[in-house]
């Protein structure tokens, strides 16, 4: 079974703080993703990575950065947290299998920025 | 512009009956479609997928139908059970490699009534 873990289930931070969200997968997947989920908006892609040290912007990268120093770990960084970044953050991973892949998600981190 | 649309925010179905969740897409480059199920405070769980070369895929109580000409897919759950109550997300990906993020709909909240 694919296992994707996220470092925290719940986080409370203050405006302006630097926030690190960590994600680890144990299936040697090449691809990793960060989404945020907001009511009425579904899941929106923030950043993704298809290889170590590689990163690509998703649909809503503003205010975020990422780091992928090791294949199994993908970190999402909020350089200066703002209240509009209060959300559920979901990490996912997938492997390359032709042109189609299934993404497997972690349990999510619910972030509250005060 | 929303490329994957789930027009029903919620759906209520009696236990034992069929649940039909609908999804429309606009991007003709999408060639792989997935359904995810999500409980509150958990990450999405992969349910079933379908490639654009097929029009039907079945897995136990779950069947996904794809109508490419109408750019429409649906998820059928028969019979519906109380544990099926969750938010269901339709997602799509395009050709060109397995590393791209998925495009999600906004979700449909399925409620199974006893």
């Amino acid at each position: 079974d694919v296992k994707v873990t996220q470092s925290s289930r719940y986080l409370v931070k203050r405006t302006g703080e630097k926030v690190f969200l960590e994600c680890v997968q144990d299936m040697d997947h090449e691809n990793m993703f960060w989404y945020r989920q907001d009511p009425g908006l579904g899941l929106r892609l923030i950043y993704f990575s298809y290889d170590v040290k590689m990163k690509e912007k998703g649909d809503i990268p503003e205010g975020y950065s990422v780091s992928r120093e090791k294949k199994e770990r993908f970190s999402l960084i909020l350089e200066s947290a703002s209240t509009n970044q209060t959300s559920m953050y979901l990490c996912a991973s997938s492997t390359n299998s032709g042109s189609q892949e299934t993404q497997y998600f972690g349990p999510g981190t619910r972030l509250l920025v005060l | 512009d929303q490329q994957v649309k789930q027009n029903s925010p919620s759906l209520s179905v009696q236990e034992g009956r069929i649940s039909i969740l609908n999804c429309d897409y606009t991007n003709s480059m999408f060639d792989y479609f997935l359904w995810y199920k999500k409980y509150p405070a958990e990450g999405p769980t992969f349910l079933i997928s379908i490639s654009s070369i097929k029009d039907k895929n079945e897995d136990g109580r779950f069947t996904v139908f794809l109508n490419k000409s109408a750019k429409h897919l649906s998820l059928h759950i028969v019979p519906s059970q109380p544990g099926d109550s969750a938010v269901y997300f339709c997602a799509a990906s395009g050709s060109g490699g397995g590393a791209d993020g998925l495009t999600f709909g906004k979700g449909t909240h399925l409620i199974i009534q006893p």
Side-chain angles (χ1 to χ4, degrees):
Chain A
D1 267 1
V2 177
K3 190 90 186 275
V4 180
T5 56
Q6 294 182 230
S7 52
S8 305
R9 293 301 301 272
Y10 301 95
L11 270 181
V12 180
K13 296 292 181 181
R14 297 207 174 273
T15 301
E17 277 193 77
K18 191 168 187 175
V19 182
F20 292 87
L21 302 182
E22 305 285 343
C23 175
V24 177
Q25 50 92 6
D26 66 357
M27 285 301 293
D28 201 37
H29 282 178
E30 297 85 5
N31 313 313
M32 297 188 74
F33 309 84
W34 276 106
Y35 294 88
R36 61 179 281 178
Q37 185 204 356
D38 300 288
L41 295 177
L43 277 74
R44 293 179 292 166
L45 181 65
I46 304 171
Y47 266 97
F48 63 100
S49 167
Y50 52 86
D51 202 353
V52 175
K53 296 195 184 293
M54 305 300 290
K55 59 184 179 184
E56 295 286 340
K57 291 181 180 179
D59 299 320
I60 51 164
E62 295 79 19
Y64 303 94
S65 62
V66 290
S67 171
R68 190 149 182 222
E69 296 297 318
K70 294 184 178 181
K71 189 176 186 180
E72 68 271 18
R73 188 179 296 268
F74 192 36
S75 303
L76 180 70
I77 304 153
L78 287 66
E79 295 290 341
S80 177
S82 63
T83 55
N84 63 12
Q85 292 179 309
T86 290
S87 187
M88 168 75 111
Y89 288 89
L90 294 159
C91 175
S93 72
S94 71
T95 188
N96 294 328
S97 56
S99 63
Q100 298 164 350
E101 91 281 5
T102 297
Q103 294 184 17
Y104 297 91
F105 284 82
T109 296
R110 189 168 289 281
L111 173 66
L112 172 63
V113 183
L114 299 173
Chain B
D1 183 30
Q2 211 182 334
Q3 297 186 69
V4 177
K5 298 178 186 177
Q6 294 177 256
N7 291 321
S8 299
S10 66
L11 176 68
S12 185
V13 175
Q14 205 163 9
E15 182 179 357
R17 302 265 183 158
I18 182 171
S19 295
I20 300 175
L21 295 94
N22 293 304
C23 178
D24 296 294
Y25 62 96
T26 57
N27 189 339
S28 57
M29 296 302 290
F30 288 146
D31 64 354
Y32 187 56
F33 304 90
L34 309 90
W35 284 95
Y36 284 85
K37 174 181 179 180
K38 187 180 184 299
Y39 293 119
E42 293 185 13
T45 303
F46 170 71
L47 205 52
I48 193 169
S49 63
I50 188 166
S51 163
S52 60
I53 62 173
K54 295 185 175 181
D55 55 18
K56 178 183 174 181
N57 188 26
E58 195 171 349
D59 184 2
R61 296 187 298 116
F62 303 93
T63 303
V64 55
F65 296 92
L66 176 62
N67 182 334
K68 279 184 65 180
S69 61
K71 293 191 177 70
H72 176 83
L73 63 153
S74 60
L75 174 68
H76 293 211
I77 306 173
V78 182
S80 300
Q81 297 175 355
D84 296 331
S85 294
V87 176
Y88 289 78
F89 290 100
C90 172
S93 72
S95 57
D100 295 336
L102 294 171
T103 301
F104 283 83
K106 293 184 178 181
T108 297
H109 186 193
L110 177 64
I111 302 160
I112 305 302
Q113 308 269 8

